[in-house]
Amino acid sequence: WQVILFALLAIDLAVLNFKAFNPPTPIQSTILAVPTPTDQCGPACQKYINDKLSSLPTQTIIQKTIDATVVAPRQKVRTVSYLPISSGGSTGSNDWTFLPGTDFYFDTHDYPGLVEIYFETNLHLFNGNGIAFIRLFDSTHGVGVQGSDVQTNLQADTAIVSGKITFYAGKNLIKVQAKSLTADTTVFTSGRLKIITEN
């Protein structure tokens, strides 16, 4: 055993001496040098680039100003005007009869913004017996004016307003017609058109 133990000890010493006096070789690290970029565009190249940039079209920005002012809608104004019907007249006939001197021309286009028209009259029965009738007649079209009929059974002169009346478009010749239900006389004292416009 002594021989074996001595041999092992000798081997250990030999290994320790080798490691102590022969350190490991350091690892060499290789660093690659990156070349610094150089400007290969000389003065002539720079002039060429500058000339090209200056020749590019410039874009003009146009700003539009939007007027945001809010205008309130104008309030329409209603106007009332009157067209007098000249003269009066009377009749004792039981059929519609034209009253002389009451004719006039009427054109709805003369009243822009026309809204409504009414026939206002003053009429009565001479003796107060029966019923007196008055209306407007469109001689141009040969028809009574729609809505213009009025009536009374009073002897005293009475102001009566028709319902809303309607005229044909255009310039039309209008006349007043009257009749009586009985033999009593219908008396047309005066009349006018009430014309309402809105503009």
Side-chain angles (χ1 to χ4, degrees):
W1 284 101
Q2 290 180 349
V3 175
I4 295 171
L5 185 60
F6 181 77
L8 288 173
L9 184 60
I11 292 170
D12 282 343
L13 286 173
V15 171
L16 284 174
N17 283 334
F18 178 78
K19 286 187 176 181
F21 295 105
N22 294 297
T25 303
I27 298 172
Q28 296 285 333
S29 61
T30 303
I31 299 174
L32 297 175
V34 179
T36 304
T38 57
D39 187 1
Q40 298 296 323
C41 185
C45 175
Q46 288 294 330
K47 182 177 183 306
Y48 176 79
I49 293 173
N50 291 335
D51 289 345
K52 286 297 181 183
L53 288 175
S54 64
S55 67
L56 291 175
T58 56
Q59 186 176 13
T60 304
I61 299 175
I62 301 173
Q63 289 184 332
K64 290 186 178 180
T65 303
I66 299 174
D67 187 3
T69 305
V70 177
V71 179
R74 186 177 67 85
Q75 188 72 27
K76 288 188 176 182
V77 178
R78 180 166 283 212
T79 305
V80 177
S81 59
Y82 295 93
L83 177 64
I85 299 172
S86 40
S87 188
S90 62
T91 183
S93 173
N94 299 132
D95 296 322
W96 287 113
T97 304
F98 291 111
L99 300 180
T102 60
D103 49 317
F104 62 97
Y105 284 96
F106 186 78
D107 190 342
T108 56
H109 292 108
D110 291 338
Y111 300 89
L114 182 62
V115 178
E116 297 171 348
I117 307 174
Y118 298 91
F119 178 37
E120 296 185 344
T121 65
N122 285 288
L123 70 155
H124 64 276
L125 276 167
F126 188 76
N127 295 308
N129 297 318
I131 301 175
F133 298 93
I134 298 285
R135 74 173 181 181
L136 296 175
F137 186 83
D138 183 345
S139 291
T140 302
H141 295 93
V143 293
V145 175
Q146 185 177 352
S148 67
D149 295 57
V150 294
Q151 64 183 56
T152 185
N153 59 0
L154 300 177
Q155 187 175 11
D157 207 35
T158 306
I160 302 175
V161 181
S162 73
K164 182 178 176 180
I165 63 178
T166 304
F167 288 96
Y168 283 103
K171 187 176 182 179
N172 301 311
L173 178 61
I174 309 299
K175 299 178 182 179
V176 176
Q177 285 186 323
K179 71 176 181 177
S180 176
L181 183 64
T182 63
D184 202 348
T185 302
T186 294
V187 180
F188 171 66
T189 307
S190 64
R192 63 183 182 178
L193 295 184
K194 180 181 179 180
I195 304 164
I196 301 173
T197 56
E198 201 172 76
N199 294 294

